[in-house]
Amino acid sequence: MNVPLWVWLVTIVGFVLVIGADLWLNDHKPHAVTLGEVTRWVVFYVALAVAFGVGVWLLAGGTYAGEFFAGYLTEYSLSVDNLFVFLIIMSAFKVPVVHQHRVLLVGIVIALIMRSIFIAAGAAVIDRFSWVFFLFAAFLVYTAISLVKQAAGGEDEEWKEGRVLRWVRKAFPVTDDYHGAKTTVRIDGKRWLTPMLIVMIAIGVTDIMFALDSIPAIFGLTQEPYLVFTANAFALMGLRQLYFLLGGLLNKLVFLSYGLAVLLAFIGVKLALHALHENELPFINGGQPVPVPEVGIGLSLAVIVGVLAVTTVTSLVAVRMRPELAEQSSAITAPPLARTKEEAARLAEEDEKADHHVSAPKGD
């Protein structure tokens, strides 16, 4: 897939414009989001991704379009599982409801920039060393097994401040309280960081850690850097609204980890087969390609859609039959989602009166 430089530039500018419009429309006046508002934005971002995929199909063919949709669905589904950690971070930092949208947006922009660097590096390495696919395959299978063990053991996801945030707190003074949407304030002639900036960094850094499994996963579906980048970008851009819309449903997706484990294991096997097909390692078949069947993108897309559908339906049915499953999954609750503008105004007023004193979460 030969993508000219001007197409890359137009695509990046397009993403910047959309993110800028989202930031201005939603955050120029901080407010508690409503159900209708979030739903419209989710539909908009999904429609935008679908339109892009159709464009790829018309201009580059069905194979590349299938690779984009498979990558997009995989990245989006992995992101849904990550939303729970975002809830924990928001709760740990007691982020005011009216500012959660901005925190997510800035944090995700940080993650998108860092992921772009990872994608460029990954593409360069893959182009020179095909045996890297063996490492990706092993890592994805290992991650799948870890997800199953964690889900079977009923372990709750925990979050603690890592080295990056501890370094920031050590290098710069941080206030205990929020100061509206400000990321820095001047107190007695001295510049202080606020918890708003710290939590933005936390979201961005956490999402970078999630990229350790999502980037290898999407490279297992397409080796086209342009498709890898756009699939990641569309998934991340729509993640913010999904955080509010699906927040109340996260605890009901009790089998999500199992579904994601199946997807990662499937892509891991697909990568291993591809690595054997492109083999250059001298100790495997004398350094010659191994004639193994490869999994086509059509089958990959069908498996991804099927696994996600089965996981969602079985989770909702199980929770309906046994409500205690949802209660056992997590004590973290989603942010309140207003159904009307009046209710949003009331939530914002209550939130303004709340005490948003933040005690630093403990590090490792």
Side-chain angles (χ1 to χ4, degrees):
M1 186 178 183
N2 185 21
V3 181
L5 177 60
W6 69 267
V7 174
W8 275 97
L9 294 176
V10 168
T11 302
I12 293 173
V13 170
F15 282 131
V16 171
L17 291 176
V18 172
I19 291 175
D22 189 341
L23 178 61
W24 187 84
L25 291 173
N26 289 292
D27 294 306
H28 73 284
K29 184 178 180 181
H31 61 285
V33 295
T34 64
L35 177 61
E37 178 185 359
V38 172
T39 302
R40 287 191 296 272
W41 276 102
V42 169
V43 171
F44 168 74
Y45 276 120
V46 171
L48 204 61
V50 171
F52 180 85
V54 171
V56 172
W57 177 49
L58 293 175
L59 297 175
T63 299
Y64 288 127
E67 291 179 0
F68 168 77
F69 282 120
Y72 171 67
L73 287 173
T74 299
E75 294 299 298
Y76 216 8
S77 60
L78 289 171
S79 296
V80 170
D81 190 44
N82 301 339
L83 290 181
F84 177 71
V85 180
F86 289 173
L87 283 171
I88 295 176
I89 294 175
M90 293 289 192
S91 177
F93 282 95
K94 300 178 182 177
V95 180
V97 175
V98 296
H99 298 309
Q100 290 192 9
H101 193 282
R102 173 172 293 189
V103 168
L104 285 170
L105 180 60
V106 176
I108 287 173
V109 168
I110 294 173
L112 182 56
I113 294 172
M114 296 305 298
R115 282 195 184 202
S116 299
I117 297 174
F118 288 172
I119 291 168
V125 171
I126 288 172
D127 187 57
R128 294 191 59 184
F129 309 105
S130 62
W131 52 264
V132 171
F133 284 118
F134 285 113
L135 299 181
F136 282 1
F139 181 73
L140 291 179
V141 173
Y142 169 78
T143 303
I145 295 173
S146 299
L147 277 176
V148 172
K149 288 182 177 180
Q150 180 178 317
E155 299 178 12
D156 291 333
E157 293 185 68
E158 295 183 359
W159 180 87
K160 295 180 180 180
E161 285 195 357
R163 295 180 180 178
V164 174
L165 292 186
R166 293 203 301 272
W167 177 84
V168 171
R169 287 188 182 277
K170 185 177 181 180
F172 304 95
V174 181
T175 64
D176 291 329
D177 301 306
Y178 286 92
H179 294 261
K182 294 179 179 179
T183 54
T184 64
V185 292
R186 184 173 293 276
I187 301 176
D188 296 331
K190 184 178 181 181
R191 179 65 63 180
W192 289 64
L193 306 185
T194 72
M196 183 66 67
L197 180 59
I198 301 300
V199 73
M200 286 177 179
I201 297 174
I203 293 289
V205 171
T206 301
D207 194 85
I208 291 172
M209 298 304 297
F210 294 150
L212 294 178
D213 57 16
S214 65
I215 296 299
I218 195 171
F219 270 118
L221 298 168
T222 177
Q223 282 81 61
E224 297 294 335
Y226 182 72
L227 298 181
V228 173
F229 169 74
T230 51
N232 265 275
F234 278 114
L236 287 174
M237 285 168 59
L239 185 60
R240 238 162 29 266
Q241 283 74 21
L242 204 65
Y243 166 83
F244 293 98
L245 187 63
L246 293 186
L249 294 177
L250 287 180
N251 291 349
K252 296 181 180 180
L253 299 177
V254 292
F255 298 139
L256 179 61
S257 292
Y258 293 104
L260 294 179
V262 171
L263 285 184
L264 292 177
F266 168 76
I267 297 174
V269 172
K270 183 179 185 297
L271 270 175
L273 293 174
H274 179 75
L276 290 171
H277 195 268
E278 302 290 329
N279 178 57
E280 296 177 349
L281 296 177
F283 54 85
I284 298 179
N285 197 35
Q288 298 299 312
V290 181
V292 294
E294 289 204 72
V295 180
I297 194 60
L299 177 58
S300 298
L301 190 56
V303 169
I304 292 169
V305 173
V307 169
L308 293 178
V310 170
T311 299
T312 302
V313 172
T314 54
S315 294
L316 296 179
V317 170
V319 168
R320 186 170 184 178
M321 297 177 64
R322 297 180 57 192
E324 66 273 13
L325 290 176
E327 298 175 359
Q328 294 171 358
S329 63
S330 173
I332 302 295
T333 58
L337 187 60
R339 294 183 178 276
T340 65
K341 291 184 178 180
E342 291 75 16
E343 187 177 353
R346 179 180 59 79
L347 288 173
E349 184 178 354
E350 292 176 355
D351 191 63
E352 187 68 24
K353 296 178 180 178
D355 178 16
H356 295 298
H357 176 83
V358 181
S359 57
K362 294 182 179 179
D364 296 328

